[in-house]
């Protein structure tokens, strides 16, 4: 045991000595790329689907319906992975190798069991789930959604394993390999999507199968890495379930889980309100245009997912650095890292704001607007500009949530995450449309981010004070 702990100390001691800015770039960039690539799995599908004339906006709407269900699986995966990453990093900072290797082994077992349970539930309740997320807006959308849903569900175990192990690999000091495994799967998806959709004419099934094959490759690469980890040595004892250790790393991952699962709740509310109040709209109540609001809001949320993936990547990349330094008692370095993170998050949000406010037509054009009615483009431009007008605050909020998690403050992180996503996100999405219809739905998102920032500002101030002591 002493030899293992000594090896871990030598491997990770640079987290306490190397420049904070250098470490942030080293860890955050691969994490950003990994999360962007993970986000692009579904987005790439939607781009190719949108530009296939035989699928179009009905295929887009079907993709939007199924997307929240992949986020449910992702929510469980990141709870396991991010929680384990934070726990292992803190343990290594304290030179506690025993807890580190047992946490990784327990995480693997829990991830496999959870993925099989989710896959089974999806297959059993398929029709009801699709209906709940607005899939019955018309017959063509429902048919496409069922086809896409089935094949995506088949890949859930591989998807969850790859996503859960990605942060674990980062905590082992290999952010570049974590990035490589995710990018490799995405490249397979990007290559196969046009082949299956345009050449083989497999439609929604082709898009889904291309995605699943990419996810399988990512999972296999992650599995190969786990067999040769550097700072954490897995053995038979690692895979003996320890309720105490599992509770601790899952608690640290609750914020990541809530950030994703509450997004699903918001999506369910938005998609149902979109269907309900779209049917009352003078234009979108017409059968030929009924799927437009659902398809457009799905695209807007996908763009936001790209932005938030960068924001989360910046923060998640800081988890091993912050965790190690907190564990080693270096609050001064943790404070400096927090400052760098907040400035970076604000810059990311500002860049996104410029895109949505000044180039919305170009953004919607990527998703096949040239083949659609002018109503489609007009609603999309309005949606981008209103729905995402508070991206600067949204990215700062997200960075604050995750950094608190890295510091081991699961309760505070969970509280503000729940407030943003459930109380504000779902509440306003259900309430405001009753007064202003679809416009109320668009306003609900930026209003939620503005009110959450007021709370986050108080948390940020307290965090700085604590790290200064």
């Amino acid at each position: 045991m002493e030899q293992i702990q000594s090896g871990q100390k030598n491997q990770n001691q640079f987290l306490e000595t190397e420049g904070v800015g250098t470490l942030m770039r080293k860890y955050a960039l691969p994490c950003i790329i990994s999360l962007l690539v993970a986000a692009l799995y579904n987005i790439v599908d939607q781009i190719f689907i949108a530009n296939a004339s035989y699928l179009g906006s009905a295929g887009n709407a079907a993709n939007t319906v199924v997307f929240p269900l992949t986020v449910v699986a992702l929510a469980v995966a990141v709870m396991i992975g991010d929680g384990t990453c934070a726990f292992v990093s803190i343990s290594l900072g304290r030179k506690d190798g025993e807890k580190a290797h047992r946490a990784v082994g327990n995480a693997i077992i829990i991830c496999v069991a959870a993925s099989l349970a989710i896959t089974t539930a999806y297959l059993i309740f398929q029709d009801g789930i699709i209906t709940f997320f607005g899939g019955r807006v018309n017959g063509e959308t429902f048919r496409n959604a069922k086809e896409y849903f089935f094949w995506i569900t088949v890949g859930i175990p591989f998807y969850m394993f790859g996503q859960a192990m990605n942060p674990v690999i980062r905590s082992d000091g290999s952010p570049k390999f974590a990035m490589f495994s995710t990018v490799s799967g995405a490249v397979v998806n990007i290559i196969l999507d046009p082949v299956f959709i345009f050449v083989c004419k497999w439609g929604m099934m082709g898009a889904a199968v291309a995605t699943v094959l990419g996810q399988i490759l990512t999972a296999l690469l992650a599995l190969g890495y786990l067999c040769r980890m550097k700072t954490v040595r897995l053995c038979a004892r690692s895979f003996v379930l320890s309720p105490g250790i599992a509770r601790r790393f899952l608690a640290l991952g609750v914020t990541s889980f809530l950030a994703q699962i509450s997004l699903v709740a918001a999506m369910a509310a938005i998609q149902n309100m979109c269907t309900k109040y779209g049917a009352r709209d003078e234009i979108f109540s017409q059968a030929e245009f009924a799927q437009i609001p659902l398809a457009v809001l799905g695209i807007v949320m996908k763009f936001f997912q790209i932005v938030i993936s960068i924001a989360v990547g910046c923060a998640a990349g800081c988890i091993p650095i912050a965790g190690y330094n907190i564990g080693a008692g270096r609050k001064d370095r943790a404070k400096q890292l927090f400052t760098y993170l907040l400035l970076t998050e604000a810059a990311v949000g500002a860049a996104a704001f410029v895109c949505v406010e000044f180039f919305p037509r170009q953004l919607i054009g990527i998703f096949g607007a040239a083949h659609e009615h002018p109503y489609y483009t007009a609603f999309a431009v309005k949606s981008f500009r209103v729905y995402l007008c508070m991206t600067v605050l949204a990215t700062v909020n997200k960075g604050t949530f995750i950094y608190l998690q890295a510091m081991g403050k699961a309760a505070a992180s969970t509280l503000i995450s729940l407030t943003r996503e459930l109380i504000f996100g779902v509440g306003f999405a259900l309430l405001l449309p009753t007064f202003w219809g679809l416009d109320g739905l668009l306003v609900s998102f930026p209003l939620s981010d503005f009110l959450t920032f007021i709370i986050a500002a108080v948390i940020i101030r307290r965090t700085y004070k604590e790290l200064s002591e």
Side-chain angles (χ1 to χ4, degrees), residues 1-56:
M1 180 59 63
E2 290 180 359
Q3 290 179 342
I4 291 177
Q5 290 180 348
S6 176
Q8 289 168 343
K9 178 179 179 180
N10 292 334
Q11 288 281 357
N12 287 70
Q13 196 173 25
F14 69 96
L15 292 174
E16 190 181 346
T17 58
E18 194 169 326
V20 171
T22 302
L23 286 172
M24 183 176 175
R25 288 192 297 273
K26 180 179 179 180
Y27 274 80
L29 186 58
C31 188
I32 290 169
I33 294 174
S34 296
L35 289 172
L36 275 177
V37 170
L40 286 174
Y41 268 111
N42 190 272
I43 294 169
V44 166
D45 283 357
Q46 188 152 19
I47 290 174
F48 285 114
I49 288 168
N51 286 281
S53 57
Y54 68 100
L55 295 174

Side-chain angles (χ1 to χ4, degrees), residues 35-50 59-71 74 148-149 152 159 186 189-190 193 197 204 207-208 210-212 215 267 271 298-299 301-303 305-306 367:
L35 289 172
L36 275 177
V37 170
L40 286 174
Y41 268 111
N42 190 272
I43 294 169
V44 166
D45 283 357
Q46 188 152 19
I47 290 174
F48 285 114
I49 288 168
N60 253 341
N63 184 281
T64 299
V65 168
V66 176
F67 177 61
L69 306 172
T70 66
V71 180
L74 179 63
Y148 189 69
F149 178 84
I152 288 295
Y159 177 59
N189 183 35
I190 292 171
D193 253 337
I197 294 174
M204 302 301 292
T211 296
V212 171
Q215 292 166 350
M267 285 180 182
Q271 290 173 200
I299 291 168
M301 286 190 287
K302 297 293 174 53
F303 175 80
Q305 189 193 16
I306 293 176
F367 293 90

Side-chain angles (χ1 to χ4, degrees), residues 4 20 55 81 140 149 200 219 228 273 284-286 308 372 391 440 465:
I4 291 177
V20 171
L55 295 174
E140 187 177 2
F149 178 84
C200 300
R228 53 180 180 83
M273 292 298 101
F284 302 129
S285 59
Q286 301 174 46
I308 215 65
E372 300 294 339
T391 52
K465 184 177 180 180

Side-chain angles (χ1 to χ4, degrees), residues 263 265-271 274 293 296-305 353 356-357 379-392 394 420-421 425-426 428-429 438-450:
L263 180 60
M267 285 180 182
I270 289 168
Q271 290 173 200
C274 193
V296 165
L297 279 178
I299 291 168
V300 173
M301 286 190 287
K302 297 293 174 53
F303 175 80
F304 180 71
Q305 189 193 16
F353 177 81
V356 299
E357 296 300 327
F379 185 71
V381 169
K382 181 179 182 180
S383 297
F384 269 115
R385 286 177 171 163
V386 176
Y387 198 75
L388 300 181
C389 66
M390 290 288 175
T391 52
V392 176
R420 163 59 183 91
E421 305 299 348
V426 176
F428 289 145
L438 290 176
D439 287 345
L441 192 59
L442 298 181
V443 171
S444 67
F445 198 79
L447 180 60
S448 299
D449 283 320
F450 176 76

Side-chain angles (χ1 to χ4, degrees), residues 155-171:
I156 288 292
F158 303 101
Y159 177 59
M160 287 184 61
F161 187 82
Q163 293 303 311
M165 294 304 109
N166 196 277
V168 174
I169 293 171
R170 290 200 306 273
S171 72

